[in-house]
mmCIF file of all heavy atoms in Angstrom:
data_model
loop_
_atom_site.group_PDB
_atom_site.id
_atom_site.type_symbol
_atom_site.label_atom_id
_atom_site.label_comp_id
_atom_site.label_asym_id
_atom_site.label_seq_id
_atom_site.Cartn_x
_atom_site.Cartn_y
_atom_site.Cartn_z
ATOM 1 N N THR A 1 -0.276 -9.374 -1.258
ATOM 2 C CA THR A 1 0.516 -9.704 -2.501
ATOM 3 C C THR A 1 1.778 -8.951 -2.508
ATOM 4 O O THR A 1 1.827 -7.719 -2.549
ATOM 5 C CB THR A 1 -0.326 -9.438 -3.792
ATOM 6 O OG1 THR A 1 -1.469 -10.202 -3.739
ATOM 7 C CG2 THR A 1 0.498 -9.806 -5.026
ATOM 8 N N THR A 2 2.924 -9.674 -2.516
ATOM 9 C CA THR A 2 4.200 -8.997 -2.623
ATOM 10 C C THR A 2 4.757 -9.114 -4.041
ATOM 11 O O THR A 2 5.436 -8.217 -4.502
ATOM 12 C CB THR A 2 5.238 -9.742 -1.575
ATOM 13 O OG1 THR A 2 4.692 -9.635 -0.294
ATOM 14 C CG2 THR A 2 6.596 -9.135 -1.708
ATOM 15 N N VAL A 3 4.493 -10.252 -4.634
ATOM 16 C CA VAL A 3 4.714 -10.396 -6.136
ATOM 17 C C VAL A 3 3.445 -10.985 -6.693
ATOM 18 O O VAL A 3 3.006 -12.045 -6.215
ATOM 19 C CB VAL A 3 5.915 -11.300 -6.432
ATOM 20 C CG1 VAL A 3 6.110 -11.482 -7.964
ATOM 21 C CG2 VAL A 3 7.218 -10.727 -5.862
ATOM 22 N N GLY A 4 2.887 -10.421 -7.712
ATOM 23 C CA GLY A 4 1.685 -10.866 -8.329
ATOM 24 C C GLY A 4 1.606 -10.616 -9.777
ATOM 25 O O GLY A 4 2.376 -9.739 -10.269
ATOM 26 N N ILE A 5 0.685 -11.319 -10.398
ATOM 27 C CA ILE A 5 0.442 -11.072 -11.888
ATOM 28 C C ILE A 5 -1.003 -10.737 -12.066
ATOM 29 O O ILE A 5 -1.910 -11.383 -11.603
ATOM 30 C CB ILE A 5 0.801 -12.403 -12.623
ATOM 31 C CG1 ILE A 5 2.251 -12.860 -12.326
ATOM 32 C CG2 ILE A 5 0.551 -12.256 -14.132
ATOM 33 C CD1 ILE A 5 2.572 -14.228 -12.832
ATOM 34 N N ILE A 6 -1.183 -9.660 -12.714
ATOM 35 C CA ILE A 6 -2.518 -9.147 -12.981
ATOM 36 C C ILE A 6 -2.829 -9.266 -14.486
ATOM 37 O O ILE A 6 -2.018 -8.719 -15.264
ATOM 38 C CB ILE A 6 -2.666 -7.659 -12.539
ATOM 39 C CG1 ILE A 6 -2.361 -7.558 -11.055
ATOM 40 C CG2 ILE A 6 -4.036 -7.121 -12.856
ATOM 41 C CD1 ILE A 6 -2.251 -6.066 -10.580
ATOM 42 N N PRO A 7 -3.940 -9.895 -14.842
ATOM 43 C CA PRO A 7 -4.286 -9.848 -16.257
ATOM 44 C C PRO A 7 -4.714 -8.398 -16.705
ATOM 45 O O PRO A 7 -5.370 -7.708 -15.961
ATOM 46 C CB PRO A 7 -5.503 -10.843 -16.353
ATOM 47 C CG PRO A 7 -5.930 -11.048 -14.904
ATOM 48 C CD PRO A 7 -4.844 -10.603 -14.028
ATOM 49 N N CYS A 8 -4.284 -8.047 -17.949
ATOM 50 C CA CYS A 8 -4.627 -6.759 -18.399
ATOM 51 C C CYS A 8 -4.751 -6.920 -19.950
ATOM 52 O O CYS A 8 -3.794 -7.034 -20.648
ATOM 53 C CB CYS A 8 -3.452 -5.764 -18.030
ATOM 54 S SG CYS A 8 -3.823 -4.055 -18.639
ATOM 55 N N GLY A 9 -5.935 -6.826 -20.401
ATOM 56 C CA GLY A 9 -6.274 -7.057 -21.828
ATOM 57 C C GLY A 9 -5.770 -8.370 -22.268
ATOM 58 O O GLY A 9 -6.126 -9.350 -21.682
ATOM 59 N N LYS A 10 -4.937 -8.443 -23.263
ATOM 60 C CA LYS A 10 -4.308 -9.683 -23.748
ATOM 61 C C LYS A 10 -2.972 -9.953 -22.992
ATOM 62 O O LYS A 10 -2.352 -11.002 -23.371
ATOM 63 C CB LYS A 10 -4.075 -9.655 -25.249
ATOM 64 C CG LYS A 10 -5.401 -9.561 -26.067
ATOM 65 C CD LYS A 10 -5.142 -9.492 -27.487
ATOM 66 C CE LYS A 10 -6.394 -9.424 -28.341
ATOM 67 N NZ LYS A 10 -6.173 -9.376 -29.710
ATOM 68 N N GLY A 11 -2.557 -9.046 -22.173
ATOM 69 C CA GLY A 11 -1.233 -9.311 -21.509
ATOM 70 C C GLY A 11 -1.357 -9.457 -20.078
ATOM 71 O O GLY A 11 -2.480 -9.697 -19.474
ATOM 72 N N ARG A 12 -0.269 -9.302 -19.361
ATOM 73 C CA ARG A 12 -0.238 -9.394 -17.861
ATOM 74 C C ARG A 12 0.724 -8.342 -17.376
ATOM 75 O O ARG A 12 1.675 -7.980 -18.045
ATOM 76 C CB ARG A 12 0.313 -10.752 -17.482
ATOM 77 C CG ARG A 12 -0.610 -11.951 -18.001
ATOM 78 C CD ARG A 12 0.150 -13.166 -17.727
ATOM 79 N NE ARG A 12 1.337 -13.269 -18.612
ATOM 80 C CZ ARG A 12 1.750 -14.329 -19.091
ATOM 81 N NH1 ARG A 12 1.166 -15.455 -18.925
ATOM 82 N NH2 ARG A 12 2.753 -14.327 -19.908
ATOM 83 N N ILE A 13 0.494 -7.860 -16.155
ATOM 84 C CA ILE A 13 1.319 -6.960 -15.426
ATOM 85 C C ILE A 13 1.917 -7.652 -14.315
ATOM 86 O O ILE A 13 1.179 -8.347 -13.443
ATOM 87 C CB ILE A 13 0.473 -5.713 -14.943
ATOM 88 C CG1 ILE A 13 -0.079 -4.978 -16.162
ATOM 89 C CG2 ILE A 13 1.420 -4.834 -14.145
ATOM 90 C CD1 ILE A 13 -1.008 -3.917 -15.710
ATOM 91 N N ILE A 14 3.322 -7.655 -14.163
ATOM 92 C CA ILE A 14 3.883 -8.229 -12.949
ATOM 93 C C ILE A 14 4.237 -7.090 -12.000
ATOM 94 O O ILE A 14 4.693 -5.981 -12.346
ATOM 95 C CB ILE A 14 5.308 -8.840 -13.376
ATOM 96 C CG1 ILE A 14 5.112 -9.921 -14.434
ATOM 97 C CG2 ILE A 14 5.955 -9.386 -12.116
ATOM 98 C CD1 ILE A 14 6.415 -10.435 -15.019
ATOM 99 N N LEU A 15 3.716 -7.268 -10.809
ATOM 100 C CA LEU A 15 3.968 -6.235 -9.763
ATOM 101 C C LEU A 15 4.774 -6.890 -8.621
ATOM 102 O O LEU A 15 4.643 -8.030 -8.301
ATOM 103 C CB LEU A 15 2.619 -5.640 -9.298
ATOM 104 C CG LEU A 15 1.617 -6.655 -8.642
ATOM 105 C CD1 LEU A 15 1.803 -6.590 -7.023
ATOM 106 C CD2 LEU A 15 0.212 -6.161 -8.906
ATOM 107 N N SER A 16 5.496 -5.968 -7.956
ATOM 108 C CA SER A 16 6.322 -6.409 -6.903
ATOM 109 C C SER A 16 6.467 -5.244 -5.895
ATOM 110 O O SER A 16 6.710 -4.090 -6.277
ATOM 111 C CB SER A 16 7.676 -6.916 -7.328
ATOM 112 O OG SER A 16 8.538 -7.129 -6.290
ATOM 113 N N THR A 17 6.445 -5.571 -4.589
ATOM 114 C CA THR A 17 6.783 -4.564 -3.581
ATOM 115 C C THR A 17 8.025 -4.893 -2.936
ATOM 116 O O THR A 17 8.541 -4.291 -1.892
ATOM 117 C CB THR A 17 5.679 -4.599 -2.446
ATOM 118 O OG1 THR A 17 5.607 -5.799 -1.761
ATOM 119 C CG2 THR A 17 4.314 -4.154 -3.007
ATOM 120 N N LEU A 18 8.863 -5.842 -3.575
ATOM 121 C CA LEU A 18 10.150 -6.154 -2.993
ATOM 122 C C LEU A 18 11.139 -5.143 -3.303
ATOM 123 O O LEU A 18 10.985 -4.284 -4.293
ATOM 124 C CB LEU A 18 10.669 -7.507 -3.670
ATOM 125 C CG LEU A 18 9.859 -8.725 -3.256
ATOM 126 C CD1 LEU A 18 10.433 -9.971 -4.083
ATOM 127 C CD2 LEU A 18 9.952 -9.080 -1.784
ATOM 128 N N SER A 19 12.191 -4.945 -2.584
ATOM 129 C CA SER A 19 13.180 -3.889 -2.828
ATOM 130 C C SER A 19 14.213 -4.385 -3.849
ATOM 131 O O SER A 19 15.365 -4.695 -3.543
ATOM 132 C CB SER A 19 13.798 -3.502 -1.532
ATOM 133 O OG SER A 19 14.767 -2.526 -1.580
ATOM 134 N N ILE A 20 13.825 -4.479 -5.064
ATOM 135 C CA ILE A 20 14.724 -4.985 -6.093
ATOM 136 C C ILE A 20 15.570 -3.804 -6.769
ATOM 137 O O ILE A 20 16.833 -4.010 -6.730
ATOM 138 C CB ILE A 20 13.913 -5.624 -7.264
ATOM 139 C CG1 ILE A 20 13.185 -6.861 -6.669
ATOM 140 C CG2 ILE A 20 14.764 -5.958 -8.428
ATOM 141 C CD1 ILE A 20 12.202 -7.463 -7.589
ATOM 142 N N ARG A 21 15.002 -2.682 -7.131
ATOM 143 C CA ARG A 21 15.766 -1.645 -7.833
ATOM 144 C C ARG A 21 16.948 -1.157 -7.019
ATOM 145 O O ARG A 21 18.043 -1.060 -7.598
ATOM 146 C CB ARG A 21 14.875 -0.482 -8.182
ATOM 147 C CG ARG A 21 15.514 0.526 -9.081
ATOM 148 C CD ARG A 21 14.741 1.830 -9.123
ATOM 149 N NE ARG A 21 14.277 2.354 -7.918
ATOM 150 C CZ ARG A 21 15.068 3.030 -7.025
ATOM 151 N NH1 ARG A 21 16.316 3.246 -7.296
ATOM 152 N NH2 ARG A 21 14.619 3.547 -5.932
ATOM 153 N N PRO A 22 16.828 -0.894 -5.721
ATOM 154 C CA PRO A 22 18.012 -0.300 -4.960
ATOM 155 C C PRO A 22 19.170 -1.330 -4.842
ATOM 156 O O PRO A 22 20.246 -1.015 -4.597
ATOM 157 C CB PRO A 22 17.449 0.036 -3.572
ATOM 158 C CG PRO A 22 15.922 0.008 -3.760
ATOM 159 C CD PRO A 22 15.589 -0.859 -4.922
ATOM 160 N N ASN A 23 18.832 -2.647 -5.065
ATOM 161 C CA ASN A 23 19.846 -3.667 -4.898
ATOM 162 C C ASN A 23 20.499 -4.123 -6.172
ATOM 163 O O ASN A 23 21.526 -4.901 -6.166
ATOM 164 C CB ASN A 23 19.254 -4.929 -4.240
ATOM 165 C CG ASN A 23 18.990 -4.646 -2.805
ATOM 166 O OD1 ASN A 23 19.916 -4.613 -1.983
ATOM 167 N ND2 ASN A 23 17.678 -4.557 -2.448
ATOM 168 N N LEU A 24 20.109 -3.563 -7.291
ATOM 169 C CA LEU A 24 20.635 -4.052 -8.574
ATOM 170 C C LEU A 24 22.144 -3.746 -8.865
ATOM 171 O O LEU A 24 22.807 -4.594 -9.364
ATOM 172 C CB LEU A 24 19.802 -3.558 -9.764
ATOM 173 C CG LEU A 24 18.407 -4.064 -9.901
ATOM 174 C CD1 LEU A 24 17.680 -3.406 -10.981
ATOM 175 C CD2 LEU A 24 18.332 -5.592 -10.034
ATOM 176 N N ASN A 25 22.584 -2.632 -8.403
ATOM 177 C CA ASN A 25 23.982 -2.280 -8.624
ATOM 178 C C ASN A 25 24.923 -2.626 -7.457
ATOM 179 O O ASN A 25 26.011 -2.193 -7.466
ATOM 180 C CB ASN A 25 24.136 -0.742 -8.981
ATOM 181 C CG ASN A 25 23.529 -0.525 -10.324
ATOM 182 O OD1 ASN A 25 23.703 -1.331 -11.261
ATOM 183 N ND2 ASN A 25 22.953 0.659 -10.543
ATOM 184 N N ARG A 26 24.437 -3.163 -6.408
ATOM 185 C CA ARG A 26 25.295 -3.524 -5.280
ATOM 186 C C ARG A 26 26.130 -4.674 -5.643
ATOM 187 O O ARG A 26 25.797 -5.488 -6.500
ATOM 188 C CB ARG A 26 24.423 -3.708 -4.009
ATOM 189 C CG ARG A 26 23.761 -2.367 -3.637
ATOM 190 C CD ARG A 26 22.917 -2.573 -2.384
ATOM 191 N NE ARG A 26 23.650 -3.281 -1.351
ATOM 192 C CZ ARG A 26 23.011 -3.740 -0.235
ATOM 193 N NH1 ARG A 26 21.785 -3.598 -0.099
ATOM 194 N NH2 ARG A 26 23.748 -4.353 0.675
ATOM 195 N N ASN A 27 27.235 -4.864 -4.988
ATOM 196 C CA ASN A 27 28.099 -6.019 -5.236
ATOM 197 C C ASN A 27 28.124 -7.133 -4.152
ATOM 198 O O ASN A 27 28.916 -8.047 -4.320
ATOM 199 C CB ASN A 27 29.537 -5.510 -5.442
ATOM 200 C CG ASN A 27 29.677 -4.743 -6.745
ATOM 201 O OD1 ASN A 27 29.004 -4.994 -7.713
ATOM 202 N ND2 ASN A 27 30.433 -3.613 -6.682
ATOM 203 N N ASP A 28 27.266 -6.952 -3.177
ATOM 204 C CA ASP A 28 27.340 -8.017 -2.121
ATOM 205 C C ASP A 28 26.512 -9.289 -2.590
ATOM 206 O O ASP A 28 25.708 -9.199 -3.558
ATOM 207 C CB ASP A 28 26.770 -7.513 -0.839
ATOM 208 C CG ASP A 28 25.315 -7.023 -0.893
ATOM 209 O OD1 ASP A 28 24.891 -6.840 -1.955
ATOM 210 O OD2 ASP A 28 24.782 -6.679 0.154
ATOM 211 N N GLY A 29 26.707 -10.354 -1.944
ATOM 212 C CA GLY A 29 26.099 -11.670 -2.404
ATOM 213 C C GLY A 29 24.580 -11.635 -2.335
ATOM 214 O O GLY A 29 23.980 -12.094 -3.313
ATOM 215 N N PRO A 30 23.918 -11.073 -1.320
ATOM 216 C CA PRO A 30 22.476 -11.020 -1.326
ATOM 217 C C PRO A 30 21.901 -10.304 -2.504
ATOM 218 O O PRO A 30 20.769 -10.556 -2.836
ATOM 219 C CB PRO A 30 22.145 -10.423 0.052
ATOM 220 C CG PRO A 30 23.272 -10.848 0.956
ATOM 221 C CD PRO A 30 24.460 -10.721 -0.032
ATOM 222 N N SER A 31 22.656 -9.272 -3.007
ATOM 223 C CA SER A 31 22.055 -8.551 -4.087
ATOM 224 C C SER A 31 21.989 -9.347 -5.444
ATOM 225 O O SER A 31 21.206 -8.942 -6.308
ATOM 226 C CB SER A 31 22.919 -7.256 -4.330
ATOM 227 O OG SER A 31 22.764 -6.416 -3.266
ATOM 228 N N GLN A 32 22.646 -10.489 -5.480
ATOM 229 C CA GLN A 32 22.484 -11.401 -6.611
ATOM 230 C C GLN A 32 20.991 -11.858 -6.680
ATOM 231 O O GLN A 32 20.500 -12.106 -7.713
ATOM 232 C CB GLN A 32 23.365 -12.538 -6.475
ATOM 233 C CG GLN A 32 24.920 -12.153 -6.620
ATOM 234 C CD GLN A 32 25.779 -13.320 -6.481
ATOM 235 O OE1 GLN A 32 25.363 -14.469 -6.515
ATOM 236 N NE2 GLN A 32 27.021 -12.976 -6.309
ATOM 237 N N VAL A 33 20.339 -11.985 -5.506
ATOM 238 C CA VAL A 33 18.939 -12.349 -5.530
ATOM 239 C C VAL A 33 18.112 -11.278 -6.289
ATOM 240 O O VAL A 33 17.195 -11.707 -7.082
ATOM 241 C CB VAL A 33 18.447 -12.463 -4.117
ATOM 242 C CG1 VAL A 33 16.933 -12.640 -4.047
ATOM 243 C CG2 VAL A 33 19.113 -13.653 -3.430
ATOM 244 N N ALA A 34 18.352 -10.034 -6.059
ATOM 245 C CA ALA A 34 17.608 -9.004 -6.774
ATOM 246 C C ALA A 34 17.782 -9.045 -8.267
ATOM 247 O O ALA A 34 16.874 -8.935 -9.030
ATOM 248 C CB ALA A 34 18.029 -7.600 -6.188
ATOM 249 N N ARG A 35 19.078 -9.257 -8.652
ATOM 250 C CA ARG A 35 19.370 -9.332 -10.096
ATOM 251 C C ARG A 35 18.708 -10.607 -10.685
ATOM 252 O O ARG A 35 18.125 -10.492 -11.764
ATOM 253 C CB ARG A 35 20.942 -9.331 -10.297
ATOM 254 C CG ARG A 35 21.527 -8.059 -10.083
ATOM 255 C CD ARG A 35 22.929 -7.973 -10.444
ATOM 256 N NE ARG A 35 23.831 -8.732 -9.679
ATOM 257 C CZ ARG A 35 24.389 -8.289 -8.480
ATOM 258 N NH1 ARG A 35 24.008 -7.045 -8.130
ATOM 259 N NH2 ARG A 35 25.183 -9.041 -7.751
ATOM 260 N N LYS A 36 18.702 -11.714 -10.056
ATOM 261 C CA LYS A 36 18.027 -12.915 -10.540
ATOM 262 C C LYS A 36 16.557 -12.706 -10.589
ATOM 263 O O LYS A 36 15.923 -13.168 -11.614
ATOM 264 C CB LYS A 36 18.400 -14.151 -9.626
ATOM 265 C CG LYS A 36 17.836 -15.350 -10.174
ATOM 266 C CD LYS A 36 18.283 -15.710 -11.483
ATOM 267 C CE LYS A 36 17.733 -17.043 -11.868
ATOM 268 N NZ LYS A 36 17.917 -17.419 -13.352
ATOM 269 N N LEU A 37 15.969 -12.096 -9.619
ATOM 270 C CA LEU A 37 14.491 -11.866 -9.717
ATOM 271 C C LEU A 37 14.214 -10.926 -10.847
ATOM 272 O O LEU A 37 13.203 -11.190 -11.589
ATOM 273 C CB LEU A 37 14.002 -11.229 -8.353
ATOM 274 C CG LEU A 37 13.827 -12.172 -7.155
ATOM 275 C CD1 LEU A 37 13.650 -11.356 -5.868
ATOM 276 C CD2 LEU A 37 12.759 -13.178 -7.452
ATOM 277 N N MET A 38 14.932 -9.858 -11.024
ATOM 278 C CA MET A 38 14.636 -8.934 -12.155
ATOM 279 C C MET A 38 14.790 -9.688 -13.515
ATOM 280 O O MET A 38 13.911 -9.542 -14.366
ATOM 281 C CB MET A 38 15.657 -7.769 -12.111
ATOM 282 C CG MET A 38 15.365 -6.704 -13.139
ATOM 283 S SD MET A 38 13.763 -5.965 -12.759
ATOM 284 C CE MET A 38 13.741 -4.717 -13.948
ATOM 285 N N CYS A 39 15.877 -10.523 -13.593
ATOM 286 C CA CYS A 39 15.968 -11.343 -14.885
ATOM 287 C C CYS A 39 14.778 -12.282 -15.024
ATOM 288 O O CYS A 39 14.225 -12.449 -16.206
ATOM 289 C CB CYS A 39 17.259 -12.109 -14.833
ATOM 290 S SG CYS A 39 18.698 -11.111 -15.038
ATOM 291 N N ASN A 40 14.293 -12.916 -13.984
ATOM 292 C CA ASN A 40 13.202 -13.871 -14.112
ATOM 293 C C ASN A 40 11.900 -13.030 -14.446
ATOM 294 O O ASN A 40 11.147 -13.477 -15.278
ATOM 295 C CB ASN A 40 12.968 -14.503 -12.747
ATOM 296 C CG ASN A 40 13.961 -15.589 -12.443
ATOM 297 O OD1 ASN A 40 14.809 -15.942 -13.247
ATOM 298 N ND2 ASN A 40 13.957 -16.039 -11.240
ATOM 299 N N PHE A 41 11.737 -11.822 -13.902
ATOM 300 C CA PHE A 41 10.593 -11.022 -14.286
ATOM 301 C C PHE A 41 10.650 -10.719 -15.769
ATOM 302 O O PHE A 41 9.607 -10.798 -16.399
ATOM 303 C CB PHE A 41 10.488 -9.735 -13.470
ATOM 304 C CG PHE A 41 10.128 -9.914 -12.032
ATOM 305 C CD1 PHE A 41 10.363 -8.848 -11.210
ATOM 306 C CD2 PHE A 41 9.702 -11.138 -11.554
ATOM 307 C CE1 PHE A 41 10.141 -8.995 -9.789
ATOM 308 C CE2 PHE A 41 9.327 -11.245 -10.129
ATOM 309 C CZ PHE A 41 9.555 -10.152 -9.301
ATOM 310 N N LEU A 42 11.746 -10.272 -16.266
ATOM 311 C CA LEU A 42 11.933 -9.916 -17.700
ATOM 312 C C LEU A 42 11.752 -11.072 -18.564
ATOM 313 O O LEU A 42 11.068 -11.023 -19.642
ATOM 314 C CB LEU A 42 13.232 -9.246 -17.948
ATOM 315 C CG LEU A 42 13.404 -7.877 -17.215
ATOM 316 C CD1 LEU A 42 14.860 -7.445 -17.339
ATOM 317 C CD2 LEU A 42 12.443 -6.906 -17.833
ATOM 318 N N GLU A 43 12.273 -12.197 -18.163
ATOM 319 C CA GLU A 43 12.168 -13.468 -18.972
ATOM 320 C C GLU A 43 10.701 -13.819 -19.021
ATOM 321 O O GLU A 43 10.182 -14.249 -20.086
ATOM 322 C CB GLU A 43 12.980 -14.602 -18.380
ATOM 323 C CG GLU A 43 12.960 -15.800 -19.207
ATOM 324 C CD GLU A 43 13.853 -16.909 -18.563
ATOM 325 O OE1 GLU A 43 15.092 -16.738 -18.674
ATOM 326 O OE2 GLU A 43 13.341 -17.872 -18.072
#
């Protein structure tokens, strides 16, 4: 599992082993993927 959802009580935990955090503040095009994934996780 690289991205998964685990049930926890009445909620869920989203887990990811992708390298999202280090790419959030970069300005290159591929880093837009990291920002979009983070927004999708939060949404």
Side-chain angles (χ1 to χ4, degrees):
T1 300
T2 301
V3 176
I5 302 168
I6 301 172
C8 182
K10 294 181 181 179
R12 298 171 294 215
I13 298 170
I14 301 170
L15 61 92
S16 172
T17 62
L18 296 173
S19 182
I20 294 174
R21 188 193 50 78
N23 287 290
L24 291 176
N25 287 328
R26 293 179 51 194
N27 291 323
D28 59 351
S31 290
Q32 292 176 15
V33 171
R35 288 189 287 278
K36 181 61 177 167
L37 284 170
M38 186 65 177
C39 288
N40 288 348
F41 291 165
L42 292 171
E43 184 176 289

